[in-house]
Amino acid sequence: MMEDSTKWMQEALKEASLAKDKGEVPIGAVVVKDGTVLGRGHNQKEGFQDATLHAELLAIRQANQTLGNWRLEDCDLYVTLEPCPMCSGAIVQSRIRRVYYGPHDLKSGAAGSLMNLLQDDRLNHQTEVIPGLLQEDCQDLLQSFFKDLRARKKKEKQDRQQE
Amino acid sequence: MMEDSTKWMQEALKEASLAKDKGEVPIGAVVVKDGTVLGRGHNQKEGFQDATLHAELLAIRQANQTLGNWRLEDCDLYVTLEPCPMCSGAIVQSRIRRVYYGPHDLKSGAAGSLMNLLQDDRLNHQTEVIPGLLQEDCQDLLQSFFKDLRARKKKEKQDRQQE
């Protein structure tokens, strides 16, 4: 039987694919409680030109709405890339119990890479953190997105030079 | 002539008063560019039961909408309390130029107190930070809110005991 945590990360990966389809950096997240998805989100920063529309923030806000409660106690978040400082702060604010993520983000990861805001005992909430879940699937999606993006930009440049 | 920075912090204080009127912790923020307010926000976390509805996040999102751009370059943010990690992360994400705030927040301030996410050179953007602007006015509003809250809770307890 597939482990539940793998199943939920696959749901987060489906969200990431939706971002990719919209030309957004493919990152997805879901919030889960007692075997039910309470909130889903994928990166929509470019489409809405809103700096806060990361996958995690959208999934947290939807879970808040579903429960009618800003407290997401006993909820777990699955996200396809290590959260940035903003999203890590939102995870602490909403008191999420546990965070599973795919690969580390060495440039701006705030759940173990550059810092660990999820386990800072000076803040009023700490979260369990489980990195590396379906890491390769998450990474493959990101790498193919950036590879396509570079190829498209290169082609655009060549087309402009031929005009 | 009143300094412009004082004028804008007074706008943030007006937002904080709106939060107080709704029974929310009175924190307000404005985003300003070239002498114009592009976004305003006040804490609405309890009313909407949304963990992300801090003053700063709302002001940033409104400024993003006003400009049709997630980049708030050459924009300054004024907020009546030192930003938390989530809001500091959003300030970095949106590339705000300068942040003015009132008092330090020793419990969760992430712009100088517990940490300084606004000036972490490992992240891809750094912000100027000016603390202590109209600090006493900001602090008075917060203290009177919490004093009233304690008095109300005490009275409720006494009323229950007399029933």
Side-chain angles (χ1 to χ4, degrees):
Chain A
M1 201 188 87
M2 186 170 64
E3 280 228 22
D4 275 357
S5 61
T6 304
K7 182 173 90 178
W8 302 127
M9 188 59 98
Q10 282 170 347
E11 290 299 312
L13 276 162
K14 282 185 201 164
E15 286 293 319
S17 291
L18 294 177
K20 189 181 183 181
D21 294 344
K22 295 173 182 172
E24 302 270 358
V25 177
I27 303 168
V30 292
V31 171
V32 176
K33 183 181 180 177
D34 298 335
T36 306
V37 174
L38 300 182
R40 324 176 60 98
H42 54 270
N43 178 29
Q44 301 208 55
K45 173 176 156 177
E46 296 293 340
F48 286 94
Q49 288 294 310
D50 181 325
T52 74
L53 294 192
H54 285 194
E56 302 94 312
L57 229 79
L58 287 162
I60 287 170
R61 298 190 67 191
Q62 196 176 91
N64 285 153
Q65 280 192 318
T66 305
L67 290 180
N69 197 332
W70 63 256
R71 292 169 197 81
L72 299 181
E73 284 156 3
D74 301 322
C75 291
D76 301 333
L77 183 132
Y78 295 78
V79 57
T80 61
L81 183 66
E82 182 182 354
C84 76
M86 174 180 72
C87 293
S88 299
I91 288 162
V92 173
Q93 283 294 332
S94 59
R95 304 195 185 162
I96 280 175
R97 176 176 63 178
R98 194 180 295 130
V99 172
Y100 297 85
Y101 65 82
H104 285 276
D105 180 353
L106 300 178
K107 285 189 185 167
S108 61
S113 291
L114 298 186
M115 61 194 86
N116 191 344
L117 295 175
L118 301 187
Q119 297 179 320
D120 185 328
D121 57 15
R122 298 170 303 171
L123 300 173
N124 73 341
H125 180 72
Q126 289 79 41
T127 300
E128 262 188 81
V129 181
I130 296 161
L133 183 60
L134 295 189
Q135 177 166 308
E136 284 186 28
D137 294 334
C138 298
Q139 194 89 63
D140 285 350
L141 196 59
L142 282 163
Q143 282 174 349
S144 78
F145 174 83
F146 285 111
K147 193 179 160 193
D148 290 352
L149 188 69
R150 281 192 300 271
R152 206 160 55 243
K153 283 193 175 167
K154 193 177 169 187
K155 187 170 181 311
E156 280 170 12
K157 197 178 165 190
Q158 286 170 343
D159 289 350
R160 274 199 305 278
Q161 283 169 345
Q162 284 169 3
E163 276 171 8
Chain B
M1 201 189 86
M2 185 169 64
E3 279 227 25
D4 275 356
S5 61
T6 304
K7 181 173 90 177
W8 301 127
M9 188 58 97
Q10 282 170 347
E11 290 297 313
L13 276 162
K14 282 185 202 165
E15 286 293 320
S17 291
L18 294 177
K20 189 182 183 181
D21 294 344
K22 295 174 181 172
E24 302 270 1
V25 177
I27 302 168
V30 293
V31 171
V32 176
K33 182 179 178 176
D34 299 334
T36 305
V37 175
L38 300 182
R40 327 176 57 99
H42 54 272
N43 178 30
Q44 300 208 57
K45 174 177 155 177
E46 296 293 339
F48 286 93
Q49 288 294 313
D50 181 326
T52 74
L53 293 192
H54 285 194
E56 301 94 312
L57 228 78
L58 286 162
I60 286 170
R61 299 189 66 191
Q62 196 175 90
N64 284 153
Q65 280 192 318
T66 305
L67 290 180
N69 197 331
W70 63 257
R71 293 169 196 81
L72 299 181
E73 283 156 4
D74 301 322
C75 291
D76 301 332
L77 182 131
Y78 295 77
V79 57
T80 61
L81 183 66
E82 182 182 354
C84 75
M86 174 180 73
C87 293
S88 299
I91 289 162
V92 173
Q93 283 293 334
S94 58
R95 303 194 186 164
I96 280 176
R97 176 176 64 178
R98 195 179 295 131
V99 172
Y100 297 84
Y101 65 83
H104 285 276
D105 179 354
L106 301 178
K107 285 189 186 168
S108 60
S113 292
L114 297 187
M115 61 194 84
N116 192 344
L117 294 175
L118 300 187
Q119 296 178 320
D120 185 328
D121 59 16
R122 298 170 302 171
L123 298 173
N124 73 341
H125 180 73
Q126 289 80 40
T127 300
E128 261 188 83
V129 181
I130 297 160
L133 183 60
L134 296 188
Q135 177 165 307
E136 285 186 26
D137 294 332
C138 298
Q139 194 87 62
D140 286 350
L141 195 60
L142 282 164
Q143 281 173 349
S144 77
F145 174 83
F146 285 111
K147 194 180 158 193
D148 291 351
L149 189 68
R150 280 192 301 271
R152 206 161 55 243
K153 284 194 174 169
K154 193 177 169 187
K155 188 169 179 312
E156 280 169 10
K157 198 179 163 189
Q158 285 170 343
D159 289 349
R160 274 199 306 275
Q161 284 168 344
Q162 284 169 1
E163 277 171 5

